[in-house]
Amino acid sequence: MSGKRHVIVTGGSRGLGLGIVEALLAEGYRVSTCSRAPSAALERLAGADLFWKPCRIGDGEEVRAFMDAALDWGGASPLWGLVNNAGIAREGVLATFPEIDVEEVIQVNLTGAIQVARAFLRAKLVTRGPGRIVNISSIIGQRGYNGLSAYSASKAGLDGLTRALAREVGRLQVTVNSVAPGYLATEMSGTLAQRQRDQIVRRTPLGRLGEVADVVPVVRFLLGDGAGFMTGQTIVVDGGITG
Protein backbone atom coordinates (compact mmCIF):
# COMPACT_ATOMS: atom_id res chain seq x y z
CA MET A 1 0.00 0.00 0.00
CA SER A 2 2.83 2.41 0.79
CA GLY A 3 3.94 2.35 -2.86
CA LYS A 4 0.73 4.00 -4.05
CA ARG A 5 0.98 7.67 -4.93
CA HIS A 6 -0.82 10.08 -2.62
CA VAL A 7 -2.93 12.86 -4.14
CA ILE A 8 -4.72 15.60 -2.19
CA VAL A 9 -8.00 16.90 -3.64
CA THR A 10 -9.86 19.82 -2.08
CA GLY A 11 -13.64 20.01 -2.29
CA GLY A 12 -14.09 16.32 -3.01
CA SER A 13 -17.59 15.71 -1.69
CA ARG A 14 -19.62 16.52 -4.81
CA GLY A 15 -19.55 17.68 -8.41
CA LEU A 16 -16.22 17.75 -10.21
CA GLY A 17 -14.23 17.14 -7.02
CA LEU A 18 -16.15 13.94 -6.30
CA GLY A 19 -15.63 12.78 -9.88
CA ILE A 20 -11.88 13.38 -9.57
CA VAL A 21 -11.68 11.51 -6.26
CA GLU A 22 -13.58 8.54 -7.67
CA ALA A 23 -11.40 8.37 -10.79
CA LEU A 24 -8.15 8.58 -8.84
CA LEU A 25 -9.20 5.82 -6.46
CA ALA A 26 -10.09 3.65 -9.45
CA GLU A 27 -6.61 4.25 -10.89
CA GLY A 28 -4.90 3.10 -7.71
CA TYR A 29 -3.99 6.40 -6.04
CA ARG A 30 -4.42 7.07 -2.34
CA VAL A 31 -6.56 10.17 -1.96
CA SER A 32 -6.99 12.71 0.81
CA THR A 33 -9.89 15.10 0.45
CA CYS A 34 -11.84 17.67 2.38
CA SER A 35 -15.09 19.59 2.25
CA ARG A 36 -17.25 21.54 4.65
CA ALA A 37 -19.46 18.50 5.16
CA PRO A 38 -19.45 14.89 3.95
CA SER A 39 -21.81 13.63 1.27
CA ALA A 40 -23.50 10.27 0.84
CA ALA A 41 -21.73 9.83 -2.50
CA LEU A 42 -18.31 10.36 -0.93
CA GLU A 43 -19.12 8.07 1.97
CA ARG A 44 -19.87 5.29 -0.53
CA LEU A 45 -16.23 5.52 -1.66
CA ALA A 46 -14.90 4.99 1.86
CA GLY A 47 -12.01 2.56 2.14
CA ALA A 48 -8.38 2.17 3.07
CA ASP A 49 -7.20 4.45 0.28
CA LEU A 50 -9.48 7.42 1.06
CA PHE A 51 -9.08 10.00 3.82
CA TRP A 52 -11.60 12.78 4.49
CA LYS A 53 -11.58 15.61 6.98
CA PRO A 54 -13.92 18.60 7.29
CA CYS A 55 -12.26 21.86 6.30
CA ARG A 56 -13.33 25.33 5.27
CA ILE A 57 -10.87 26.17 2.52
CA GLY A 58 -9.65 29.73 3.02
CA ASP A 59 -9.57 29.42 6.80
CA GLY A 60 -5.84 29.24 7.49
CA GLU A 61 -6.08 27.22 10.70
CA GLU A 62 -8.46 24.67 9.22
CA VAL A 63 -6.33 24.32 6.09
CA ARG A 64 -3.22 23.68 8.19
CA ALA A 65 -5.09 21.11 10.28
CA PHE A 66 -6.37 19.31 7.19
CA MET A 67 -3.00 19.27 5.46
CA ASP A 68 -1.21 18.05 8.58
CA ALA A 69 -3.76 15.27 9.02
CA ALA A 70 -3.65 14.31 5.33
CA LEU A 71 0.14 14.15 5.27
CA ASP A 72 0.19 12.12 8.46
CA TRP A 73 -2.41 9.72 7.03
CA GLY A 74 -0.42 9.40 3.81
CA GLY A 75 2.49 8.04 5.80
CA ALA A 76 4.98 6.21 3.61
CA SER A 77 2.94 6.71 0.42
CA PRO A 78 4.85 9.00 -1.96
CA LEU A 79 3.32 12.47 -1.87
CA TRP A 80 2.56 13.04 -5.54
CA GLY A 81 -0.20 15.46 -6.40
CA LEU A 82 -2.54 18.26 -5.41
CA VAL A 83 -5.81 19.20 -7.08
CA ASN A 84 -7.04 22.62 -5.99
CA ASN A 85 -10.70 22.07 -6.77
CA ALA A 86 -12.63 23.70 -3.92
CA GLY A 87 -14.54 26.75 -5.07
CA ILE A 88 -17.72 28.75 -4.62
CA ALA A 89 -19.68 31.16 -6.80
CA ARG A 90 -21.76 34.12 -5.68
CA GLU A 91 -23.78 36.01 -8.29
CA GLY A 92 -24.55 39.71 -8.19
CA VAL A 93 -23.75 43.06 -9.79
CA LEU A 94 -20.55 44.32 -8.19
CA ALA A 95 -21.88 47.78 -7.27
CA THR A 96 -24.45 46.22 -4.94
CA PHE A 97 -22.65 42.96 -4.16
CA PRO A 98 -22.23 42.46 -0.39
CA GLU A 99 -18.62 42.91 0.68
CA ILE A 100 -18.78 39.77 2.79
CA ASP A 101 -19.62 37.74 -0.33
CA VAL A 102 -16.71 39.30 -2.24
CA GLU A 103 -14.34 38.37 0.57
CA GLU A 104 -15.65 34.80 0.78
CA VAL A 105 -15.30 34.16 -2.96
CA ILE A 106 -11.71 35.43 -3.01
CA GLN A 107 -10.85 33.66 0.24
CA VAL A 108 -12.10 30.25 -0.88
CA ASN A 109 -11.23 30.30 -4.58
CA LEU A 110 -7.84 32.01 -4.50
CA THR A 111 -6.45 32.51 -0.99
CA GLY A 112 -7.42 28.96 -0.01
CA ALA A 113 -5.73 27.50 -3.09
CA ILE A 114 -2.55 29.41 -2.26
CA GLN A 115 -2.65 28.16 1.34
CA VAL A 116 -3.06 24.54 0.27
CA ALA A 117 -0.38 24.77 -2.43
CA ARG A 118 2.04 26.33 0.06
CA ALA A 119 1.52 23.47 2.54
CA PHE A 120 1.89 20.90 -0.23
CA LEU A 121 5.15 22.42 -1.48
CA ARG A 122 6.60 22.71 2.01
CA ALA A 123 6.01 18.96 2.36
CA LYS A 124 7.58 18.32 -1.06
CA LEU A 125 10.71 20.15 0.05
CA VAL A 126 11.08 17.42 2.68
CA THR A 127 10.00 14.38 0.67
CA ARG A 128 11.60 15.52 -2.61
CA GLY A 129 10.83 13.81 -5.90
CA PRO A 130 8.60 14.95 -8.78
CA GLY A 131 4.99 15.96 -8.32
CA ARG A 132 1.92 17.56 -9.83
CA ILE A 133 -0.31 20.51 -8.96
CA VAL A 134 -3.56 20.95 -10.90
CA ASN A 135 -5.65 24.06 -10.27
CA ILE A 136 -9.30 24.02 -11.32
CA SER A 137 -9.97 27.48 -12.72
CA SER A 138 -12.75 28.45 -15.15
CA ILE A 139 -13.39 30.04 -18.52
CA ILE A 140 -15.12 32.78 -16.51
CA GLY A 141 -11.66 33.85 -15.37
CA GLN A 142 -10.64 34.31 -19.01
CA ARG A 143 -13.80 35.74 -20.58
CA GLY A 144 -15.87 37.09 -17.71
CA TYR A 145 -19.60 36.82 -17.18
CA ASN A 146 -22.20 39.37 -16.16
CA GLY A 147 -22.79 39.26 -12.40
CA LEU A 148 -19.73 37.14 -11.64
CA SER A 149 -17.00 39.77 -11.29
CA ALA A 150 -15.58 38.51 -7.99
CA TYR A 151 -15.70 34.90 -9.17
CA SER A 152 -14.01 35.85 -12.45
CA ALA A 153 -11.28 37.73 -10.59
CA SER A 154 -10.62 34.77 -8.30
CA LYS A 155 -10.31 32.31 -11.17
CA ALA A 156 -8.11 34.66 -13.22
CA GLY A 157 -5.89 34.89 -10.15
CA LEU A 158 -5.72 31.11 -10.02
CA ASP A 159 -4.44 30.99 -13.61
CA GLY A 160 -1.86 33.63 -12.69
CA LEU A 161 -0.79 31.54 -9.72
CA THR A 162 -0.39 28.57 -12.07
CA ARG A 163 1.97 30.41 -14.42
CA ALA A 164 4.12 31.96 -11.71
CA LEU A 165 4.30 28.87 -9.52
CA ALA A 166 5.28 26.70 -12.49
CA ARG A 167 8.41 28.81 -12.88
CA GLU A 168 9.09 28.77 -9.16
CA VAL A 169 8.93 25.02 -8.56
CA GLY A 170 10.12 23.63 -11.91
CA ARG A 171 13.55 23.00 -10.40
CA LEU A 172 11.84 20.61 -7.98
CA GLN A 173 10.35 18.72 -10.95
CA VAL A 174 6.88 19.71 -9.79
CA THR A 175 4.56 20.71 -12.62
CA VAL A 176 1.75 23.23 -12.16
CA ASN A 177 -1.16 23.46 -14.61
CA SER A 178 -4.74 24.68 -14.66
CA VAL A 179 -7.88 23.14 -16.09
CA ALA A 180 -10.51 25.70 -17.08
CA PRO A 181 -13.90 24.03 -17.48
CA GLY A 182 -16.75 25.67 -19.31
CA TYR A 183 -20.30 25.59 -18.01
CA LEU A 184 -20.87 22.22 -16.34
CA ALA A 185 -24.15 20.57 -15.45
CA THR A 186 -23.36 20.55 -11.72
CA GLU A 187 -24.92 22.04 -8.60
CA MET A 188 -22.91 25.24 -9.13
CA SER A 189 -24.53 25.91 -12.51
CA GLY A 190 -27.90 24.91 -11.11
CA THR A 191 -28.33 28.46 -9.81
CA LEU A 192 -28.51 29.78 -13.40
CA ALA A 193 -31.94 30.63 -14.75
CA GLN A 194 -33.23 28.33 -17.49
CA ARG A 195 -32.94 31.13 -20.06
CA GLN A 196 -29.26 31.53 -19.14
CA ARG A 197 -28.64 27.80 -19.50
CA ASP A 198 -30.43 27.77 -22.86
CA GLN A 199 -28.35 30.72 -24.06
CA ILE A 200 -25.11 29.00 -23.04
CA VAL A 201 -26.12 25.81 -24.86
CA ARG A 202 -26.95 27.80 -28.02
CA ARG A 203 -23.53 29.51 -27.92
CA THR A 204 -21.64 26.24 -27.40
CA PRO A 205 -20.58 24.58 -30.67
CA LEU A 206 -21.09 21.11 -29.18
CA GLY A 207 -24.62 22.12 -28.20
CA ARG A 208 -24.71 21.11 -24.54
CA LEU A 209 -23.43 21.86 -21.08
CA GLY A 210 -20.31 20.04 -20.02
CA GLU A 211 -20.32 17.03 -17.73
CA VAL A 212 -17.95 16.06 -14.95
CA ALA A 213 -16.89 13.14 -17.15
CA ASP A 214 -15.65 15.63 -19.79
CA VAL A 215 -13.18 17.24 -17.39
CA VAL A 216 -11.94 14.37 -15.21
CA PRO A 217 -9.78 12.74 -17.95
CA VAL A 218 -7.87 16.00 -18.43
CA VAL A 219 -7.13 16.21 -14.71
CA ARG A 220 -6.03 12.56 -14.71
CA PHE A 221 -3.69 13.23 -17.64
CA LEU A 222 -2.08 16.24 -15.96
CA LEU A 223 -1.50 14.15 -12.83
CA GLY A 224 0.04 11.32 -14.79
CA ASP A 225 3.53 10.52 -16.02
CA GLY A 226 2.65 11.50 -19.59
CA ALA A 227 2.33 15.16 -18.61
CA GLY A 228 5.80 15.40 -17.11
CA PHE A 229 6.95 18.07 -19.61
CA MET A 230 3.82 20.23 -19.38
CA THR A 231 3.78 23.09 -16.89
CA GLY A 232 2.42 26.61 -16.59
CA GLN A 233 -0.47 25.82 -18.95
CA THR A 234 -4.23 26.37 -18.74
CA ILE A 235 -6.20 23.67 -20.54
CA VAL A 236 -9.70 24.79 -21.58
CA VAL A 237 -12.51 22.20 -21.62
CA ASP A 238 -15.60 24.11 -22.71
CA GLY A 239 -17.22 22.54 -25.77
CA GLY A 240 -15.79 25.32 -27.92
CA ILE A 241 -17.70 28.25 -26.42
CA THR A 242 -14.56 30.39 -26.08
CA GLY A 243 -13.06 29.26 -29.38
Side-chain angles (χ1 to χ4, degrees), residues 175-198:
T175 66
V176 188
N177 294 287
S178 292
V179 176
Y183 302 93
L184 302 183
T186 62
E187 290 181 32
M188 190 173 290
S189 66
T191 60
L192 295 173
Q194 187 60 48
R195 61 176 178 78
Q196 292 174 301
R197 293 166 66 91
D198 292 343

Side-chain angles (χ1 to χ4, degrees), residues 121-162:
L121 289 169
R122 287 171 70 89
K124 288 298 288 181
L125 287 171
V126 175
T127 62
R128 300 291 178 176
R132 305 281 186 266
I133 296 177
V134 179
N135 296 318
I136 305 300
S137 61
S138 169
I139 61 168
I140 304 297
Q142 300 178 6
R143 301 296 290 269
Y145 193 85
N146 183 41
L148 289 174
S149 295
Y151 180 81
S152 179
S154 69
K155 292 300 187 176
L158 201 54
D159 284 335
L161 171 68
T162 294

